[in-house]
C-alpha cells in the first residue's frame, strides 16, 4: 500500500509539470499569444490522457509483438486493480509531459487545430511505440522491448520522454518555419522577447517540484533509494543553472533570465536517465555538461535559422541525448545490472538515442509534411501579426481594442478620432497619452493647413523620383493658371524650368535648390506666358516614402522694383557701412557666447582627477553657437556624466544648453540623488524658461552615474554604446528611459533606468546625432553601425585616442560636404 501511495503522490507531482510548462511558455512568448499557449497546454493534456488510455498504454505496455509494439490493454479497464490504476496514472503523466514539450517550441505561429493533431499522434503513436522498445515489462520486471533486451537504460526518460518530445518539436519547426521577423533577410537574428519572465521563473519552479515526482516515482516503490534519486536530481539542476550563469557572465557580462531557466532545465533533463545509478559528483558533472550542450545546440539552431520559441529542442534533445549517453559513461554497472561491460553499455546507449532520433524525428517529419500539404499547419500572416489569442480564440483585450481604433484612424486619416479610455488601467493611461498627442497633432495640422490654404505663394508637393505633383494649394491656381485638379498629376518640369531653353530637372538641380532658394527660375502659366519665380524646396520623409515640398513665388513685381533700387545705390552703400559696423559688434557678442560655452566644458585637469575612468570629450558646433552639451562631474565618490542635444543650433539653442548645464550642476551640488526627481525638476526648469523665451526648443538628455564599476543610465537620448574589452558591442536603447526635456511640464512617469557593469578595458561612448547623421557627398549618413565599428576597433587605445580615431573617421567620411549639425562625443574607459 505504501508503494501505491508513493506512486500516486509522484503522479500528482508530475501533473504539476503541466502548469509549469504553461507558465514557462506563456512568460517566454509575447502577450498577444499567451492565451493560445495556455489553452494548448490544457488541451494537449486532455488529448494525451485520453489517447494514452485508449491505445497508447496498450501499444506501450501491452503484450509485446517482436519487441516492437504492444497488442493488449487497449481502452484499459482498471476496475478492482489498484496497482494497475496507479501505474497507468503515473505513465499517463509521462505521456502528457512528452506531448506538451512541442507546444513551447512551435509557439506563436501554429494553428490550434494543427497542434491538436500533433499532440494526438505524439501521445497515440510516437511516444508509446518508442516507450515499448525501452520500457515494456517495466510493470512486471520482464524485459520485452527490443532495446530493453539489449540492455538499454533510461531510468526516468531522458530519451523516452524528453528527447522524443524534442524530436517531434524539431520536425514541426522545420515544417512551419520561423516566426515573422525572427531572422530578417541579410541581417542578424532578432531576439523576440518574452512578455512575463517572472511567470516563466514560476513555471521553472513548478517543473522542479514535478521533477521530484518524475524521477522519484520512476523507482515505482518507496525505498531507501528515493532520497539519493531526489538529491541527484536537485544537484544536477542546480549545476546546470550555475554553469549557464557563469558562462553568461563570461561571454557577455550580463545575465539573461533565459540562461538560468534553460540551464536548470537542461541539468534536470540530463540527470533523468541515470539519477538512480550515479554518485553525487557524477550527477553534478552530468547536469553541468547538460547545460553546456544545451547552449551549444541553441546557438547552432539559430545559425541554421531554426526558430525555437523557448529553446525546447536544445533543452530536451540536447540534454536528453547527453543524459542517456551519460548512463554508459558514469552509471554504476552493478546498479544497472544489465550484464554489459562499460564499452558495451555505451554502445547500447548510443543505439537507443539514435533509434529515438530516427523514430521521433523522421516519422514525425513525414507525417507533418503529409498533413501540411492538405491541411496547413501554420496560421496566416495576418493571424500571426495580430496574435493567436485573437486570431485563434477571439480573446480580445484592451490593447487590441486600442490598436484597432488606431489602425482605423491611420486608414481614414481622420485626426479628430480619439481612442476610448478605460480608467485605472495601464492601457487606459496609454490611451490618454495617445489622445493628448493627437490633440496636439491635430492642432498643429490645422495651423499648417491654415497657413498653406491662406498663403499667397504657390505650394506644391511632388514625388522625388518622377516629379509628379501630388497636392496644390489654392494660390497655385492663381500663380500658374491651372485648376487644382489639373495641377495634380502634372510634371513639375512643365511648370518650372531653370531657363527658357531647359525643361529638364535632374538631381543636381534639385540638390542646388534644396540648399538655397533660387530666384533665377522661370515659371510657365497655362496661357503659355512665363514669369520670374523664386523656388524654395524642402524634402520630407514619411517612413520609407519621401517627397518634395516646393514654394513658388511670383517675383515679377520684385524684378520691376529692382530698377527702382538701382537709383538708391548710394544710400544703400552708406547703410551697408553702418550695417557692417553693427555686424562686427554682433559677431563679437556671438564669439563671447561661443567661448563661454567652451569654458563651461570640463577641463583636462578635471577629467584627469577621476582615477577610475579615462575620459575624453569633443564638441564642435555647426554654427558659432551650438546646442549640444556634455559635462563630467565628480560627486560623493562617484561620477555623473551628462550628454544632451537641444533641437536646432544657434543662440536660442545655446541658451537652453547653458540653462541645462547650470541646472544639472545646481541639482548635483544640492545632493539630489533620486534621478526621477532630478530629471523632473530639470525638465520643469527648462520648460518654464522656454515658455518665457517664447521659443519651441527642447532637448534630449541622458545621465550616466558611475560608481565602483557600476553604471546606471537614465534619460532619453541617442543609444549608449558599450564596447567590452573582448570587442563585443552592446547598444543600450534609451527611448524608454525618459522623455525630451522642455517638451511637457511633467515627465516623471516616463523616467526609468538601466544598470550594467564595467570591467577593466570596457569603453562607453556617448554622442549626439550630429555624429551619426553626418552626411557624405552622396547624402548618406555616417550611422551608428560605423561608429560602433570604429570604437570596437580602437578599444585598446586611450580614451583620447579613441575619441580622435572616431572624429578623424567622421571628418574623413564627410569630406568637403557641409556640416549641418553640432557634433559632440564623449569616450569613457574603465581603467
Amino acid at each position: 500500500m505504501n508503494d501505491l501511495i508513493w506512486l500516486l503522490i509522484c503522479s500528482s507531482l508530475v501533473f504539476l509539470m503541466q502548469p509549469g510548462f504553461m507558465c514557462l511558455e506563456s512568460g517566454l512568448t509575447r502577450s498577444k499569444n499567451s492565451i493560445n499557449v495556455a489553452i494548448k497546454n490544457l488541451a494537449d493534456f486532455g488529448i494525451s490522457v485520453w489517447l494514452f488510455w485508449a491505445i497508447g498504454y496498450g501499444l506501450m505496455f501491452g503484450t509485446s509483438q517482436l519487441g516492437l509494439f504492444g497488442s493488449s490493454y487497449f481502452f484499459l479497464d482498471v476496475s478492482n486493480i489498484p496497482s494497475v490504476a496507479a501505474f497507468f496514472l503515473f505513465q499517463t503523466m509521462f505521456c502528457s509531459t512528452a506531448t506538451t514539450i512541442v507546444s513551447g517550441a512551435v509557439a506563436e505561429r501554429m494553428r490550434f487545430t494543427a497542434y491538436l493533431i500533433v499532440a494526438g499522434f505524439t501521445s497515440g503513436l510516437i511516444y508509446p511505440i518508442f516507450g515499448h522498445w525501452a520500457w515494456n515489462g517495466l510493470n512486471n520486471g520482464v524485459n520485452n522491448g527490443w532495446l530493453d533486451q539489449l540492455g538499454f537504460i533510461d531510468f526516468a526518460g531522458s530519451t523516452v520522454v524528453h528527447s522524443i518530445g524534442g524530436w517531434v518539436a524539431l520536425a514541426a519547426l522545420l515544417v512551419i518555419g520561423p516566426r515573422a521577423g525572427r531572422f530578417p533577410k541579410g541581417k542578424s537574428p532578432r531576439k523576440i522577447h518574452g512578455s512575463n519572465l517572472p511567470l516563466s521563473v514560476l513555471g521553472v519552479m513548478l517543473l522542479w517540484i514535478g521533477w521530484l515526482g518524475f524521477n522519484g516515482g520512476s523507482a515505482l516503490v518507496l525505498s531507501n533509494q528515493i532520497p539519493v534519486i531526489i538529491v541527484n536530481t536537485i544537484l544536477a539542476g542546480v549545476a546546470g543553472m550555475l554553469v549557464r550563469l557563469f558562462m553568461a557572465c563570461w561571454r557577455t557580462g550580463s545575465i539573461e533570465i533565459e540562461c538560468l531557466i534553460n540551464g536548470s532545465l537542461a541539468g534536470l533533463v540530463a540527470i533523468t536517465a541515470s539519477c538512480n545509478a550515479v554518485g553525487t559528483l557524477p550527477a553534478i558533472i552530468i547536469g553541468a555538461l547538460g547545460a553546456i550542450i544545451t547552449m551549444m545546440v541553441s546557438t547552432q539552431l539559430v545559425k541554421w535559422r531554426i526558430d525555437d520559441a523557448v529553446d525546447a529542442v536544445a533543452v530536451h534533445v540536447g540534454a536528453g541525448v547527453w543524459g542517456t549517453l551519460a548512463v554508459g559513461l558514469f552509471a554504476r554497472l552493478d546498479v544497472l545490472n544489465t550484464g554489459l561491460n562499460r564499452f558495451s553499455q555505451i554502445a547500447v546507449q548510443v543505439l537507443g538515442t539514435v533509434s529515438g532520433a530516427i523514430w521521433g524525428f523522421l516519422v514525425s517529419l513525414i507525417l507533418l509534411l503529409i498533413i501540411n500539404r492538405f491541411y496547413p499547419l501554420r496560421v496566416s500572416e495576418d493571424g500571426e501579426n495580430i496574435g493567436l489569442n485573437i486570431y485563434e480564440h477571439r480573446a480580445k483585450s484592451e490593447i487590441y481594442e486600442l490598436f484597432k481604433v488606431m489602425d482605423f484612424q491611420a486608414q481614414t486619416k481622420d485626426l479628430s478620432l480619439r481612442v476610448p479610455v478605460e480608467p485605472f488601467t495601464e492601457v487606459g493611461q496609454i490611451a490618454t497619452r495617445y489622445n493628448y498627442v493627437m490633440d496636439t497633432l491635430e492642432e498643429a495640422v490645422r495651423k499648417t493647413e491654415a497657413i498653406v490654404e491662406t498663403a499667397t505663394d504657390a505650394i506644391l508637393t511632388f514625388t522625388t523620383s518622377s516629379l509628379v505633383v501630388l497636392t496644390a494649394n489654392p494660390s497655385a491656381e492663381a500663380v500658374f493658371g491651372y485648376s487644382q485638379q489639373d495641377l495634380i498629376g502634372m510634371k513639375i518640369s512643365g511648370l518650372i524650368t531653370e531657363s527658357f531653353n531647359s525643361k529638364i530637372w535632374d538631381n543636381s538641380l534639385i540638390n542646388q535648390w534644396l540648399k538655397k532658394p533660387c530666384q533665377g527660375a522661370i515659371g510657365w502659366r497655362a496661357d503659355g506666358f512665363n514669369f520670374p519665380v523664386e523656388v524654395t524646396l524642402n524634402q520630407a520623409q514619411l517612413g520609407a516614402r519621401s517627397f518634395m515640398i516646393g514654394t513658388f513665388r511670383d517675383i515679377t513685381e520684385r524684378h520691376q522694383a529692382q530698377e527702382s533700387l538701382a537709383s538708391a545705390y548710394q544710400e544703400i552703400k552708406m547703410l551697408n557701412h553702418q550695417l557692417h559696423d553693427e555686424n562686427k559688434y554682433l559677431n563679437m557678442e556671438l564669439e563671447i557666447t561661443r567661448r563661454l560655452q567652451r569654458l563651461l566644458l570640463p577641463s583636462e585637469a578635471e577629467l584627469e582627477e577621476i582615477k577610475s575612468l579615462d575620459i575624453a570629450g569633443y564638441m564642435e558646433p555647426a554654427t558659432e553657437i551650438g546646442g549640444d552639451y556634455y559635462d563630467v562631474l565628480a560627486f560623493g565618490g562617484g561620477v555623473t556624466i551628462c550628454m544632451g542635444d537641444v533641437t536646432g543650433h544657434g543662440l536660442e539653442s545655446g541658451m537652453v544648453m547653458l540653462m541645462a548645464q547650470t541646472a544639472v550642476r545646481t541639482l548635483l551640488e544640492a545632493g539630489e540623488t533620486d534621478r526621477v526627481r532630478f530629471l523632473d525638476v530639470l525638465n520643469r526648469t527648462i520648460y518654464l524658461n522656454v515658455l518665457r523665451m517664447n521659443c519651441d526648443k527642447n532637448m534630449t538628455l541622458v545621465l550616466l552615474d558611475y560608481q565602483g564599476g557600476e553604471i546606471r543610465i537614465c534619460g532619453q537620448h541617442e543609444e549608449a554604446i558599450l564596447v567590452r574589452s573582448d570587442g563585443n558591442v552592446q547598444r543600450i536603447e534609451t527611448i524608454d528611459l525618459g522623455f525630451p526635456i522642455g517638451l511637457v511640464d511633467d515627465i516623471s512617469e516616463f523616467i526609468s533606468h538601466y544598470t550594467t557593469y564595467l570591467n577593466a578595458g570596457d569603453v562607453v561612448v556617448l554622442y549626439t546625432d550630429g555624429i551619426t547623421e553626418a552626411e557624405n557627398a552622396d547624402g548618406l549618413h555616417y550611422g551608428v553601425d560605423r561608429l560602433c565599428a570604429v570604437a570596437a576597433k580602437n578599444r585598446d587605445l586611450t580614451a583620447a585616442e579613441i575619441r580622435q580615431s572616431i572624429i578623424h573617421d567622421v571628418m574623413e567620411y564627410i569630406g568637403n560636404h557641409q556640416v549641418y549639425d553640432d557634433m559632440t562625443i564623449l569616450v569613457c574607459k574603465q581603467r
Side-chain angles (χ1 to χ4, degrees):
M1 181 57 72
N2 289 338
D3 294 338
L4 290 180
I5 294 173
W6 171 243
L7 204 55
L8 292 174
I9 291 173
C10 290
S11 299
S12 301
L13 293 176
V14 177
F15 175 73
L16 279 178
M17 298 180 81
Q18 293 297 319
F21 277 117
M22 186 276 292
C23 293
L24 173 69
E25 296 164 13
S26 295
L28 290 178
T29 52
R30 290 167 290 189
S31 57
K32 65 180 181 179
N33 300 304
S34 59
I35 296 173
N36 174 258
V37 170
I39 293 174
K40 283 195 303 182
N41 277 270
L42 180 62
D44 68 31
F45 177 75
I47 287 175
S48 62
V49 170
W50 190 86
L51 285 176
F52 192 71
W53 165 76
I55 58 175
Y57 184 83
L59 290 174
M60 188 166 178
F61 294 105
T63 303
S64 182
Q65 302 298 317
L66 303 176
L68 298 176
F69 59 90
S71 60
S72 60
Y73 300 142
F74 299 115
F75 298 95
L76 182 67
D77 183 0
V78 298
S79 302
N80 301 318
I81 317 176
S83 59
V84 173
F87 182 75
F88 162 76
L89 183 63
F90 186 67
Q91 292 301 324
T92 300
M93 297 303 150
F94 275 47
C95 177
S96 64
T97 300
T99 303
T100 202
I101 289 171
V102 183
S103 170
V106 301
E108 305 195 297
R109 76 212 98 148
M110 180 176 264
R111 296 169 68 181
F112 180 69
T113 51
Y115 174 73
L116 297 185
I117 294 172
V118 176
F121 72 68
T122 301
S123 56
L125 177 66
I126 303 296
Y127 171 76
I129 291 295
F130 187 80
H132 183 94
W133 299 352
W135 284 352
N136 185 268
L138 187 66
N139 52 336
N140 53 28
V142 179
N143 300 335
N144 293 324
W146 69 271
L147 278 176
D148 197 11
Q149 291 174 3
L150 292 175
F152 176 72
I153 297 295
D154 186 0
F155 177 71
S158 288
T159 287
V160 175
V161 178
H162 296 283
S163 288
I164 289 296
W167 288 122
V168 176
L170 179 59
L173 290 176
L174 294 179
V175 174
I176 65 174
R179 289 169 288 179
R182 178 68 171 92
F183 299 112
K185 189 175 182 180
K187 298 181 181 179
S188 300
R190 182 176 71 90
K191 182 176 180 181
I192 298 177
H193 294 277
S195 60
N196 193 338
L197 293 182
L199 182 64
S200 294
V201 174
L202 173 62
V204 171
M205 292 178 176
L206 290 173
L207 288 173
W208 275 63
I209 296 172
W211 234 290
L212 302 183
F214 200 88
N215 289 357
S218 292
L220 302 182
V221 294
L222 183 60
S223 66
N224 55 9
Q225 192 181 27
I226 301 303
V228 175
I229 292 173
I230 292 178
V231 169
N232 285 345
T233 301
I234 293 292
L235 290 177
V238 169
M241 177 173 62
L242 294 180
V243 164
R244 281 302 302 271
L245 170 66
F246 294 142
M247 292 190 71
C249 292
W250 173 64
R251 293 179 67 191
T252 65
S254 61
I255 302 168
E256 295 183 349
I257 295 178
E258 292 91 339
C259 292
L260 300 182
I261 289 174
N262 290 331
S264 62
L265 292 179
L268 294 169
V269 170
I271 197 58
T272 295
S274 60
C275 57
N276 69 319
V278 295
T280 305
L281 182 58
I284 293 173
I285 295 172
I286 291 171
L289 290 177
I292 294 173
I293 291 170
T294 293
M295 183 186 68
M296 295 168 62
V297 173
S298 177
T299 302
Q300 193 59 49
L301 289 176
V302 172
K303 290 182 179 178
W304 289 338
R305 304 178 84 82
I306 297 175
D307 179 21
D308 185 340
V310 299
D311 266 345
V313 174
V315 170
H316 297 281
V317 172
V321 168
W322 156 245
T324 308
L325 297 178
V327 173
L329 295 171
F330 295 102
R332 291 165 48 196
L333 297 180
D334 59 321
V335 176
L336 297 182
N337 195 28
T338 60
L340 301 175
N341 58 33
R342 182 67 64 185
F343 179 79
S344 298
Q345 189 66 54
I346 293 173
V348 170
Q349 297 302 118
V350 171
L351 176 62
T353 56
V354 172
S355 301
I358 293 173
W359 173 254
F361 176 70
L362 287 183
V363 174
S364 298
L365 183 61
I366 293 170
L367 289 174
L368 289 171
L369 288 172
I370 294 172
I371 295 169
N372 190 55
R373 183 171 182 179
F374 300 100
Y375 185 77
L377 302 177
R378 184 166 182 145
V379 298
S380 66
E381 183 179 349
D382 289 340
E384 187 173 354
N385 288 336
I386 66 173
L388 303 190
N389 292 351
I390 298 168
Y391 187 77
E392 289 281 282
H393 310 292
R394 302 295 183 264
K396 297 183 180 180
S397 61
E398 288 179 286
I399 196 72
Y400 169 74
E401 296 295 338
L402 171 65
F403 289 161
K404 185 177 179 181
V405 173
M406 292 169 69
D407 289 341
F408 182 74
Q409 188 175 51
Q411 293 170 3
T412 61
K413 297 180 176 59
D414 184 355
L415 298 182
S416 65
L417 294 176
R418 292 296 178 267
V419 174
V421 176
E422 183 69 29
F424 313 114
T425 66
E426 291 184 6
V427 176
Q429 294 180 22
I430 295 172
T432 300
R433 290 289 176 182
Y434 177 79
N435 288 340
Y436 172 75
V437 172
M438 291 306 302
D439 289 339
T440 306
L441 178 61
E442 185 180 15
E443 181 182 356
V445 169
R446 290 188 184 280
K447 288 181 179 178
T448 302
E449 288 176 343
I451 293 171
V452 171
E453 292 295 318
T454 59
T456 57
D457 296 335
I459 300 176
L460 305 176
T461 64
F462 53 93
T463 59
T464 306
S465 56
S466 59
L467 306 178
V468 172
V469 176
L470 300 173
T471 63
N473 72 332
S475 291
E477 292 185 346
V479 172
F480 294 106
Y482 294 96
S483 68
Q484 283 182 280
Q485 291 78 8
D486 290 338
L487 284 169
I488 296 173
M490 291 183 63
K491 286 266 192 176
I492 195 71
S493 55
L495 301 170
I496 302 292
T497 61
E498 184 181 13
S499 64
F500 287 105
N501 299 322
S502 172
K503 289 197 175 184
I504 299 176
W505 280 45
D506 56 22
N507 289 333
S508 61
L509 181 62
I510 292 177
N511 290 333
Q512 175 186 334
W513 288 358
L514 279 172
K515 293 177 181 177
K516 60 180 180 180
C518 169
Q519 297 187 22
I522 304 299
W524 297 89
R525 291 193 175 92
D527 56 12
F529 286 93
N530 60 74
F531 58 95
V533 64
E534 180 183 82
V535 179
T536 303
L537 290 186
N538 289 288
Q539 188 168 12
Q541 195 82 23
L542 281 178
R545 185 169 65 93
S546 66
F547 60 93
M548 309 297 295
I549 303 174
T551 302
F552 306 95
R553 176 172 295 176
D554 184 345
I555 55 174
T556 301
E557 294 181 359
R558 185 188 303 175
H559 274 210
Q560 295 170 350
Q562 286 176 349
E563 298 176 0
S564 301
L565 289 175
S567 63
Y569 173 74
Q570 291 301 325
E571 182 180 352
I572 292 173
K573 188 174 180 181
M574 293 176 57
L575 290 173
N576 277 339
H577 282 298
Q578 182 181 350
L579 287 173
H580 176 73
D581 293 339
E582 292 178 355
N583 263 347
K584 196 183 231 180
Y585 179 73
L586 178 60
N587 287 337
M588 187 181 303
E589 289 186 330
L590 290 174
E591 176 62 21
I592 292 172
T593 305
R594 186 182 68 83
R595 291 184 180 181
L596 178 60
Q597 272 191 317
R598 292 194 174 275
L599 288 173
L600 291 176
L601 297 176
S603 66
E604 295 291 336
E606 289 179 81
L607 298 180
E608 289 175 0
E609 290 179 1
I610 301 173
K611 302 303 180 184
S612 54
L613 292 175
D614 179 14
I615 305 176
Y618 171 89
M619 184 174 79
E620 185 64 34
T623 60
E624 290 87 350
I625 302 174
D628 282 2
Y629 155 62
Y630 79 87
D631 209 345
V632 181
L633 308 164
F635 283 97
V639 179
T640 296
I641 299 171
C642 314
M643 174 71 72
D645 185 2
V646 183
T647 53
H649 39 78
L651 186 58
E652 282 188 343
S653 298
M655 293 301 296
V656 174
M657 169 267 191
L658 292 174
M659 283 188 280
Q661 193 268 356
T662 302
V664 167
R665 282 188 170 260
T666 302
L667 287 167
L668 288 174
E669 289 287 353
E672 180 57 71
T673 59
D674 186 317
R675 286 298 176 249
V676 175
R677 289 198 300 269
F678 188 104
L679 288 174
D680 193 43
V681 171
L682 173 64
N683 172 72
R684 287 200 303 274
T685 302
I686 301 299
Y687 178 76
L688 293 174
N689 280 346
V690 166
L691 286 180
R692 285 184 174 181
M693 292 168 60
N694 193 27
C695 72
D696 60 352
K697 301 296 181 184
N698 59 80
M699 70 183 296
T700 62
L701 178 68
V702 65
L703 301 179
L704 188 152
D705 291 314
Y706 169 89
Q707 187 157 19
E710 179 184 276
I711 59 172
R712 189 180 190 198
I713 302 173
C714 68
Q716 186 184 108
H717 188 59
E718 308 297 324
E719 297 178 2
I721 299 173
L722 176 56
V723 181
R724 298 294 181 183
S725 59
D726 61 0
N728 284 330
V729 177
Q730 180 182 357
R731 290 163 58 172
I732 302 172
E733 180 61 69
T734 64
I735 188 70
D736 295 326
L737 303 183
F739 201 78
I741 301 296
L743 190 60
V744 297
D745 61 343
D746 185 358
I747 66 169
S748 58
E749 67 180 287
F750 300 103
I751 301 171
S752 183
H753 70 273
Y754 174 86
T755 303
T756 187
Y757 294 86
L758 296 183
N759 299 315
D762 290 350
V763 177
V764 177
V765 179
L766 301 177
Y767 60 92
T768 62
D769 59 4
I771 295 288
T772 55
E773 295 181 5
E775 295 182 0
N776 61 11
D778 296 325
L780 301 177
H781 289 171
Y782 181 76
V784 181
D785 290 339
R786 182 160 178 164
L787 175 60
C788 292
V790 175
K793 178 181 178 182
N794 297 279
R795 65 186 184 279
D796 295 328
L797 304 178
T798 65
E801 291 170 334
I802 297 172
R803 172 202 62 192
Q804 195 56 38
S805 299
I806 294 172
I807 296 304
H808 175 76
D809 191 63
V810 173
M811 294 304 177
E812 188 177 68
Y813 182 83
I814 295 173
N816 296 324
H817 195 60
Q818 182 177 350
V819 176
Y820 295 108
D821 200 0
D822 309 329
M823 293 194 295
T824 302
I825 194 164
L826 189 68
V827 179
C828 307
K829 184 172 183 179
Q830 177 73 37
R831 295 184 189 272

